[in-house]
Amino acid sequence: MDPQNTEAKVLLSRAKTFRLHTGNLVNRSRLKKKCPGSTSEELRDCIQATMSDWVSMKKAASPGFPDVLDCSLPEATETITPEEREELKVSVKLFLCEAGQSAIGDAVDLACQTLAVSQLDSVIIAPPPPLEADQSLAHLQPAWEQLEALVRSQKIAAIGTSDLDKDLLEQLYNWAQVKPSSNQVNLASCCVMPPDLTAFAKDFDIQLLTHSDPKELMSAESFLEAMREGARDQSLSGWRLEWVLRYSVIVKSRGIFKSKGYLVSAKRVDP
């Protein structure tokens, strides 16, 4: 058996938290050649390819087994220098995969650490959908309060929402201490921006953006399948996807991507 694969298998079996960084997808030739049909397909390909490369990589020697396992490729990671920071906009969308178990602070800290910045320019939150057809903010409020705290501590400059209709966006605006700066609308379910939403956003200076992300970014089974294929271990199990953070770094003056990628966090499921 490949000794690198054996080492990865042991590390995965002992860790309690799994963190994966795809590196800069703009420069990863293996992934640039693919044209995924959806965000979910892209994420699956990224997890599989990154794990596969990580398994083949010689790991740095460390005493014992880490509780938090870092699955990343140093050569694929690009940081932002202080000299170029003012010329760049760092935007993030954070997909929370479980209700009531938000790790927003951890995700934002990891993004800042990975990109070597002290502040993210914007963060859009995508909480898991409510279990029932709940027309209230109850499922969003705990996450929004954490985002507000990160704005106050200057970790984030602006915060936004995803898939709120006019009524919910108005409820959020009236309730929130830090007002939403943007709201993403999925054009798969809405070919034209609703007039009432457009009018409200214009009156209160909220930017309306479009996206094509699915309601469920990745199912539990799809995540495990991607891990198994990447680790070349079909017996791998016991991991639960916690959150996915997608970042993009854009050159302001030219409107082009300097880098983009995913950060993924999973927790060990107690047997």
Side-chain angles (χ1 to χ4, degrees):
M1 183 180 286
D2 182 348
Q4 309 290 7
N5 194 39
T6 303
E7 183 184 11
K9 189 172 182 178
V10 172
L11 288 169
L12 281 163
S13 70
R14 300 294 185 93
K16 296 177 181 176
T17 301
F18 172 79
R19 296 275 167 81
L20 178 144
H21 177 217
T22 61
N24 182 6
L25 301 180
V26 172
N27 293 337
R28 280 193 72 182
S29 57
R30 178 175 172 182
L31 289 164
K32 277 172 71 176
K33 294 174 184 174
K34 296 193 173 187
C35 295
S38 67
T39 308
S40 297
E41 284 181 31
E42 179 181 60
L43 179 58
R44 180 190 168 94
D45 289 345
C46 287
I47 292 172
Q48 184 181 338
T50 302
M51 280 205 73
S52 178
D53 290 345
W54 175 78
V55 164
S56 303
M57 181 181 73
K58 185 170 178 57
K59 316 296 183 293
S62 61
F65 298 97
D67 283 344
V68 179
L69 186 57
D70 174 29
C71 176
S72 61
L73 312 173
E75 71 278 6
T77 300
E78 287 190 19
T79 57
I80 295 171
T81 65
E83 294 77 20
E84 64 184 347
R85 180 64 182 94
E86 285 300 312
E87 304 300 318
L88 303 173
K89 180 179 181 181
V90 183
S91 301
V92 157
K93 184 169 183 179
L94 179 58
F95 302 85
L96 300 177
C97 301
E98 291 193 338
Q101 292 194 1
S102 172
I104 294 171
D106 286 346
V108 169
D109 284 344
L110 187 59
C112 289
Q113 177 188 329
T114 301
L115 297 172
V117 298
S118 60
Q119 185 184 61
L120 305 176
D121 293 307
S122 71
V123 173
I124 288 175
I125 193 78
L131 297 177
E132 299 173 358
D134 183 8
Q135 285 302 307
S136 76
L137 291 176
H139 73 295
L140 177 59
Q141 284 171 322
W144 195 261
E145 287 174 335
Q146 289 188 51
L147 288 174
E148 290 180 324
L150 290 166
V151 172
R152 285 191 284 270
S153 64
Q154 298 187 329
K155 276 292 186 75
I156 304 172
I159 50 180
T161 59
S162 177
D163 301 316
L164 296 190
D165 60 19
K166 183 261 179 184
D167 290 342
L168 282 177
L169 186 59
E170 185 174 9
Q171 286 180 44
L172 176 63
Y173 188 91
N174 291 334
W175 168 81
Q177 293 183 5
V178 178
K179 308 301 183 184
S181 65
S182 61
N183 179 45
Q184 281 192 337
V185 178
N186 192 329
L187 287 186
S189 58
C190 167
C191 297
V192 179
M193 291 282 186
D196 60 343
L197 179 61
T198 304
F200 179 81
K202 183 178 179 181
D203 288 345
F204 292 92
D205 197 25
I206 299 171
Q207 186 179 16
L208 292 182
L209 307 169
T210 60
H211 76 95
S212 57
D213 300 317
K215 285 187 177 180
E216 183 180 49
L217 187 62
M218 176 170 270
S219 68
E221 188 54 39
S222 292
F223 174 63
L224 278 176
E225 284 177 9
M227 285 189 74
R228 286 170 187 150
E229 290 171 16
R232 299 188 289 278
D233 178 6
Q234 290 304 310
S235 67
L236 195 152
S237 62
W239 289 101
R240 181 186 68 226
L241 191 58
E242 186 183 17
W243 51 259
V244 175
L245 182 148
R246 182 177 66 213
Y247 67 84
S248 63
V249 180
I250 295 175
V251 181
K252 293 177 184 177
S253 60
R254 299 169 64 195
I256 60 170
F257 284 104
K258 181 181 186 292
S259 66
K260 62 179 180 178
Y262 290 92
L263 293 166
V264 177
S265 181
K267 290 285 189 185
R268 166 77 61 192
V269 179
D270 294 329

